[in-house]
């Protein structure tokens, strides 16, 4: 929202009964979310941040400007009738343009930070539009999606202030909500086609869909998913270190370990502890259905329970649950086999969150002499990605109905599917690495050209 151009308009909300009218519109935009969480707007601002709360307020205000009330009045018309002399022609023209605008979902491309972007309306037909924008272009990435209003101003098209960055999950929610509101059956199209008048009526849906998805994502991040290993045991990393007894050599220990049936040697100092083929997994009864299960397998499908590493004067057992640690270090596998060859073990325990934090800390401690120069890293990653995606072009892709990309582009509808798939790959790669990451600089253009759909890259 151009704050300087709308200051007088915002202040005028306090006149007559406009405050009550606006409260009604604001309630349409955020009320259901506040009721669902039993929170106030102030609570919401504290949760998502005051700047984001102001953006939501702006989405409602811009919608309010286009409302015609039962008595035939429109807020912008009334204001300009009384105060246009104070605003001048430029501000007055912007207010009228904002009044006529509608919120829609746009896909952005060709971003020039601090200058402009191309915006393609995903809900209405049309070619991408050049949008002059200085702020949002510094944070948006190629193929991001935004809910926004495009407004003509001084011969250019600009973005209004009520802009919401839509994640892929939020886009899926919006598509489902639109199909439901329009009473249309979900077809092959990602989004239903919506006319301008209907978009005007559905403006609160964009705010509410974004808000519900954001609050759900925040709650999910705070709680974190339940994590289990392949046997349904709580995922907690255990490192059990057995010091070698005095006078015992690595060769002696290795000979014993080679004779234990459950251990498969990689070499004379490393073994995989494998699950017996006929053993039953631990019951997962009562486990959260939304939990994530981590299971490691060998190339032949054998399930890995842990690893053993013989280094220096220590034998180290690494497993991912308390139960496996007890089975490995107790009277079962290792104690029975090694006996007096090792002394009492020491155990280090680490949760998945601690493991990630520890991994990040160690990542920052890499010696400068061991770091790969950015240019070399980009070259290596580029080669790796190209080899990978050249292979993918000839493999079945679930998102394409288990057809290969080369097969899918043989039809017009298939080419559109592949274009969406490629955009998802590009956008996900950038967000996973950040705009400054080596993968973010990779040019996927060759894939579009190879598949003959470069004209759809817009």
């Amino acid at each position: 929202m151009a704050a300087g151009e709308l200051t007088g308009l915002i202040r005028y909300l306090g006149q007559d009964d406009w405050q009550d009218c606006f409260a009604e519109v604001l309630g349409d935009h955020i009320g259901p979310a506040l009721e669902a969480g039993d929170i106030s707007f102030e609570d919401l601002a504290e949760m998502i941040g005051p700047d984001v709360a102001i953006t939501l307020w702006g989405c409602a205000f811009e919608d309010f400007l286009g409302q015609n009330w039962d008595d035939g009045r429109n807020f912008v018309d009334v204001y300009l009738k009384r105060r246009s002399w104070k605003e001048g022609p430029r501000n007055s023209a912007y207010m009228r343009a904002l009044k006529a605008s509608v919120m829609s979902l746009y896909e952005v491309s060709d971003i020039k930070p601090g200058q402009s972007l191309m915006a393609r309306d995903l809900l209405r037909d049309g070619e991408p539009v050049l949008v002059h924008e200085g702020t949002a272009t510094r944070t948006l990435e190629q193929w991001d999606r935004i809910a926004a209003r495009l407004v003509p101003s001084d011969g250019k098209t600009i973005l209004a202030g009520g802009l919401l960055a839509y994640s892929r999950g939020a886009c899926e929610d919006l598509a489902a909500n639109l199909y439901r509101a329009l009473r249309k059956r979900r077809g092959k199209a990602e989004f239903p086609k919506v006319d301008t008048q209907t978009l005007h009526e559905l403006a609160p849906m964009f705010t509410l869909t974004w808000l519900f998805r954001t609050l759900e994502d925040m709650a999910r991040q705070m709680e974190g998913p339940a994590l289990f290993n392949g046997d349904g045991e709580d995922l907690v990393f255990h490192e059990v270190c057995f010091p070698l007894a005095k006078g015992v050599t690595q060769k002696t220990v290795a000979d014993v370990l080679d004779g234990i049936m459950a251990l498969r040697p990689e070499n004379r100092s490393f073994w995989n502890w494998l699950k017996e083929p006929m053993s039953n997994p631990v019951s997962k009864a009562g486990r959260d259905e939304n939990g994530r299960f981590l299971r490691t397998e060998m190339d032949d499908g054998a399930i890995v329970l842990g690893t053993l590493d013989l280094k220096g004067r220590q034998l180290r057992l690494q497993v991912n649950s308390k139960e496996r640690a007890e089975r490995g270090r107790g009277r079962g596998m290792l104690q029975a086999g090694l006996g007096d060859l090792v002394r009492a073990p020491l155990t280090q325990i680490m949760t998945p969150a601690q493991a990630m934090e520890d991994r990040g800390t160690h990542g920052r401690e890499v010696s400068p002499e061991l770091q790969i120069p950015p240019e070399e890293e980009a070259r290596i990653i580029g080669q790796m990605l190209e080899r990978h995606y050249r292979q993918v072009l000839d493999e079945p892709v679930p998102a394409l109905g288990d057809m290969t990309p080369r097969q899918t582009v043989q039809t017009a509808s298939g080419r559109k599917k592949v274009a969406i798939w490629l955009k998802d790959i590009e956008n996900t790669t950038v967000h996973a690495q950040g705009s400054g990451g080596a993968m973010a600089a990779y040019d996927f253009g060759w894939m579009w050209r190879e598949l003959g759909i470069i004209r759809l890259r817009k």
Side-chain angles (χ1 to χ4, degrees):
M1 187 183 303
E5 296 170 332
L6 299 179
T7 300
L9 199 60
I10 294 173
R11 287 176 180 170
Y12 197 71
L13 270 179
Q15 299 292 324
D16 301 329
D17 59 347
W18 290 117
Q19 192 66 48
D20 292 336
C21 294
F22 174 66
E24 182 180 331
V25 176
L26 182 61
D28 292 338
H29 280 256
I30 65 173
L34 299 183
E35 292 174 7
D38 193 21
I39 57 176
S40 65
F41 184 77
E42 290 72 22
D43 296 329
L44 178 65
E46 186 174 343
M47 293 169 63
I48 64 178
D51 291 344
V52 180
I54 290 173
T55 298
L56 296 178
W57 188 95
C59 290
F61 183 69
E62 290 167 0
D63 181 26
F64 168 69
L65 298 184
Q67 298 286 337
N68 293 315
W69 298 90
D70 293 339
D71 57 6
R73 295 185 304 162
N74 170 270
F75 182 65
V76 173
D77 292 343
V78 171
Y79 175 77
L80 291 179
K81 184 176 181 180
R82 300 181 183 181
R83 303 287 180 91
S84 60
W85 59 271
K86 189 175 182 180
E87 292 294 343
R90 183 177 181 275
N91 279 10
S92 297
Y94 178 74
M95 292 176 188
R96 291 191 180 96
L98 195 55
K99 166 193 167 185
S101 68
V102 293
M103 178 79 85
S104 191
L105 188 69
Y106 295 90
E107 182 179 73
V108 302
S109 61
D110 296 335
I111 302 166
K112 297 180 180 177
Q115 299 181 43
S116 65
L117 56 81
M118 298 297 291
R120 183 171 70 90
D121 196 327
L122 296 174
L123 306 182
R124 295 178 289 180
D125 292 325
E127 292 296 312
V129 176
L130 176 64
V131 179
H132 293 268
E133 165 60 33
T135 303
T137 49
R138 300 185 188 279
T139 56
L140 291 172
E141 303 290 354
Q142 181 84 344
W143 311 125
D144 272 352
R145 292 171 173 186
I146 59 173
R149 293 170 184 265
L150 270 54
V151 184
S153 178
D154 293 336
K156 301 177 181 178
T157 300
I158 65 173
L159 291 174
L163 183 151
L164 301 172
Y166 257 64
S167 65
R168 295 294 161 176
C171 287
E172 292 174 2
D173 294 344
L174 180 65
N177 291 338
L178 285 171
Y179 274 109
R180 191 178 302 114
L182 299 174
R183 298 183 180 180
K184 290 185 177 181
R185 294 184 61 183
R186 192 75 181 257
K188 295 181 179 180
E190 184 179 9
F191 299 101
K193 293 304 177 186
V194 186
D195 60 60
T196 300
Q197 178 56 38
T198 304
L199 282 178
H200 175 75
E201 297 168 359
L202 296 178
M205 181 181 291
F206 293 91
T207 311
L208 279 172
T209 300
W210 182 91
L211 183 53
F212 271 114
R213 168 60 69 160
T214 298
L215 293 176
E216 288 172 6
D217 288 346
M218 290 175 63
R220 193 176 297 111
Q221 289 173 7
M222 291 175 64
E223 295 174 359
L227 300 175
F228 311 113
N229 66 15
D231 288 337
E233 301 157 347
D234 290 327
L235 195 70
V236 182
F237 299 105
H238 286 65
E239 182 175 282
V240 186
C241 292
F242 297 84
L244 303 191
K246 186 176 181 179
V248 175
T249 65
Q250 282 194 5
K251 180 180 182 304
T252 301
V253 174
D255 287 341
V256 173
L257 296 178
D258 284 343
I260 297 177
M261 293 292 294
L263 301 180
R264 180 183 297 181
E266 290 284 340
N267 50 52
R268 289 290 287 173
S269 62
F270 188 90
W271 294 260
N272 285 294
W273 176 21
L274 304 182
K275 188 174 185 177
E276 296 178 21
M278 300 304 293
S279 61
N280 295 322
V282 175
S283 172
K284 299 173 187 174
R287 296 304 192 192
D288 182 358
E289 292 182 358
N290 295 321
R292 299 179 183 176
F293 293 84
L294 176 66
R295 187 171 78 171
T296 305
E297 297 181 353
M298 301 291 287
D299 290 341
D300 61 1
I303 298 174
V304 179
L305 299 179
T307 61
L308 283 162
D309 183 17
L310 185 58
K311 188 173 183 179
R313 299 292 301 167
Q314 283 191 336
L315 174 63
R316 182 176 60 176
L317 167 68
Q318 291 186 311
V319 293
N320 59 15
S321 73
K322 174 185 175 183
E323 292 81 359
R324 290 181 180 179
E326 292 174 348
R327 289 159 60 192
R329 72 186 173 203
R331 295 184 177 278
M333 180 181 66
L334 291 182
Q335 186 171 340
L338 295 173
D340 295 335
L341 296 179
V342 294
R343 299 202 303 268
L346 299 174
T347 302
Q348 179 180 347
I349 301 174
M350 190 176 295
T351 66
Q354 291 170 332
M356 290 296 292
E357 183 178 350
D358 182 69
R359 178 182 176 186
T361 301
H362 282 81
R364 291 190 293 272
E365 293 174 350
V366 174
S367 170
E369 290 80 6
L370 299 178
Q371 292 179 344
I372 301 176
E375 300 80 6
E376 180 65 11
E377 182 184 17
R379 185 185 68 79
I380 293 172
I381 288 177
Q383 291 178 345
M384 177 192 70
L385 287 174
E386 182 154 349
R387 283 198 302 271
H388 170 71
Y389 284 117
R390 281 201 179 279
Q391 182 177 349
V392 168
L393 293 183
D394 295 302
E395 294 179 345
V397 176
L400 302 178
D402 289 326
M403 295 175 62
T404 72
R406 294 191 195 278
Q407 292 171 333
T408 309
V409 295
Q410 299 305 309
T411 65
S413 61
R415 288 189 283 275
K416 292 180 180 179
K417 278 187 179 180
V418 173
I420 293 173
W421 173 69
L422 286 174
K423 289 176 181 179
D424 281 344
I425 290 175
E426 290 191 49
N427 189 253
T428 302
T429 300
V430 173
H431 282 285
Q433 277 281 302
S435 57
M439 289 175 66
Y442 183 72
D443 183 9
F444 286 87
W446 70 269
M447 295 181 70
W448 296 78
R449 289 188 289 272
E450 181 102 354
L451 293 170
I453 58 171
I454 189 66
R455 63 181 183 82
L456 297 180
R457 198 185 189 200
K458 59 183 181 178

